[in-house]
Amino acid sequence: SKANATNGAKLFKTRCAQCHTCDKDGGNKVGPNLHGLFGRKSGQVSGFTYTAANQNKGVIWKEDTLFDYLENPKKYIPGTKMAFAGFKKEQDRNDVIAYLKESTAK
Ligand code: HEM
């Protein structure tokens, strides 16, 4: 069913926010800052030390690539250091992506 950005915000807070910020001035934490994520190539945040695997993935982050990545990050990017098992439920992925689209927009 339809993506629910409000539920996505809840998911982000509980599952992602310990490692990521979405704000322009949020900075890098354990994971890279996600501001401006949509339309950006993987591995481009300055001042963040990525794995070569993430850096060299060469995808543009947008709905479809994030949908595949967030199901199983270690399968989509073998060798990534992102410690997140993934969302098995499509609805969860769609909800968090809807939230990311709003909250990371420039
Ligand atoms: C990388 C999103 C959970 C740590 C990334 C990237 C995205 C992302 C889109 C790629 C960024 C880029 O290429 O610039 C998310 C979302 C999460 C989540 C939406 C929740 C559903 C986490 C958690 C951690 C984490 C819980 C820490 C325990 C990292 C790290 C990287 C990364 C370290 C860089 C990976 C590497 O260089 O191999 N994340 N993340 N993330 N994330 Fe997450």
Side-chain angles (χ1 to χ4, degrees), residues 10 13 19-20 23 39 42-43 70-71 74 78-79 89 95 98 102:
K10 208 177 293 175
K13 200 173 286 181
C19 297
H20 292 283
D23 302 341
S42 57
L70 293 174
E71 179 178 13
K74 288 188 155 63
K89 292 184 188 161
D95 291 354
E102 293 179 349

Side-chain angles (χ1 to χ4, degrees), residues 3 6 12 16 19 25 28-29 37 48 53 64 68 81 85 87 93:
T6 303
F12 187 86
C16 320
C19 297
D25 301 317
N28 297 321
K29 298 172 81 176
L37 181 69
F48 184 81
D64 61 343
D68 292 343
K81 63 179 174 180
F87 290 122
R93 267 129 71 205

Side-chain angles (χ1 to χ4, degrees), residues 63-102:
E63 280 89 345
D64 61 343
T65 50
L66 288 166
F67 187 79
D68 292 343
Y69 175 56
L70 293 174
E71 179 178 13
N72 186 341
K74 288 188 155 63
K75 185 173 174 199
Y76 190 75
I77 303 185
T80 183
K81 63 179 174 180
M82 173 156 125
F84 176 68
F87 290 122
K88 297 313 161 204
K89 292 184 188 161
E90 293 193 1
Q91 185 72 53
D92 287 346
R93 267 129 71 205
N94 283 327
D95 291 354
V96 86
I97 289 165
Y99 171 72
L100 285 171
K101 190 159 193 185
E102 293 179 349

Side-chain angles (χ1 to χ4, degrees), residues 4-52:
N4 179 342
T6 303
N7 187 52
K10 208 177 293 175
L11 292 172
F12 187 86
K13 200 173 286 181
T14 55
R15 309 297 300 279
C16 320
Q18 69 266 39
C19 297
H20 292 283
T21 62
C22 296
D23 302 341
K24 187 177 192 307
D25 301 317
N28 297 321
K29 298 172 81 176
V30 168
N33 178 254
L34 299 178
H35 184 74
L37 181 69
F38 281 70
R40 185 164 71 210
K41 222 173 136 191
S42 57
Q44 299 301 307
V45 172
S46 65
F48 184 81
T49 306
Y50 290 94
T51 60

